[in-house]
Amino acid sequence: MSVLLFQSRGPAIQRPEPKEELLITRLRVDEAADWQLAIVEECRRQRTLTPSVFNFLKEQGLLDRCTFLASEGMEQPLVFRYIGGPTVRFLGRAWARQQIGKPDLDDPHQVLAEGVGQQYREAIEGGDPVFNRVTITGLSASPKVYTHMLYGWAPQDGRRALLSCLHEF
């Protein structure tokens, strides 16, 4: 049996950690998937966030495609209340377990939290749905691309809520 000896020619090459980058492209609402448009139509029909919105999502088999965030008051942060399947597959089960019950901006992926969080606030404060294509690089070997339809509520009592309907590619 022979022994191979490799000589070192200087320090080992250090590969930099991939930098997380986020690109958000605004799209027209009418470009959304049919199921995303059905959710928007139902939310507009209901006008306020009630259990009937969630009943609709369950009856249509759409709840698992959505993530829901809500605050206790105007000055309180949006908190993850329900995280749907596409988001869990996208960011991982460990991330979802860690984030449930936590504010949206309290996320280890700060670039993602800040960029998407700004979109959440626009959907809530603007009163209109927001539809975007989101491209994230640096979280995995290849870029992650999805669209999300965001629908927000800001009732008079100061509590805010947001439904994010994520469509994977």
Side-chain angles (χ1 to χ4, degrees):
M1 190 181 294
S2 64
V3 175
L4 297 176
L5 181 62
F6 295 97
Q7 294 181 342
S8 175
R9 294 189 182 201
I13 297 173
Q14 296 291 326
R15 297 186 191 272
E17 287 293 317
K19 181 180 175 187
E20 290 178 15
E21 293 181 356
L22 177 69
L23 174 65
I24 298 175
T25 305
R26 180 63 46 92
L27 302 172
R28 294 187 338 260
V29 170
D30 65 357
E31 295 177 278
D34 290 345
W35 67 269
Q36 290 171 314
L37 292 172
I39 292 173
V40 166
E41 186 176 311
E42 181 65 16
C43 290
R44 284 179 172 158
R45 192 177 75 73
Q46 294 291 334
R47 293 191 182 159
T48 61
L49 180 60
T50 65
S52 55
V53 171
F54 294 100
N55 289 337
F56 168 82
L57 293 171
K58 288 178 189 174
E59 289 168 3
Q60 299 298 313
L62 298 172
L63 182 60
D64 190 54
R65 293 182 177 190
C66 300
T67 292
F68 178 70
L69 299 94
S71 73
E72 292 298 320
M74 192 57 123
E75 301 301 319
Q76 300 297 317
L78 286 173
V79 174
F80 286 99
R81 305 291 183 190
Y82 177 81
I83 300 174
T87 303
V88 172
R89 284 188 297 279
F90 199 78
L91 294 171
R93 193 171 301 284
W95 175 89
R97 277 194 298 267
Q98 172 185 317
Q99 291 309 113
I100 199 75
K102 287 190 175 180
D104 68 313
L105 293 176
D106 186 15
D107 186 324
H109 306 296
Q110 204 57 46
V111 169
L112 181 59
E114 290 171 4
V116 174
Q118 182 180 357
Q119 303 300 306
Y120 291 170
R121 282 146 194 79
E122 181 181 342
I124 292 169
E125 294 163 8
D128 289 318
V130 171
F131 184 56
N132 295 314
R133 178 182 303 110
V134 180
T135 305
I136 304 168
T137 55
L139 286 182
S140 61
S142 60
K144 295 184 178 273
V145 181
Y146 65 90
T147 61
H148 63 198
M149 178 68 73
L150 305 175
Y151 197 93
W153 293 268
Q156 299 298 330
D157 66 4
R159 294 175 22 201
R160 297 167 298 138
L162 180 100
L163 191 62
S164 173
C165 311
L166 193 123
H167 180 72
E168 305 169 277
F169 289 103

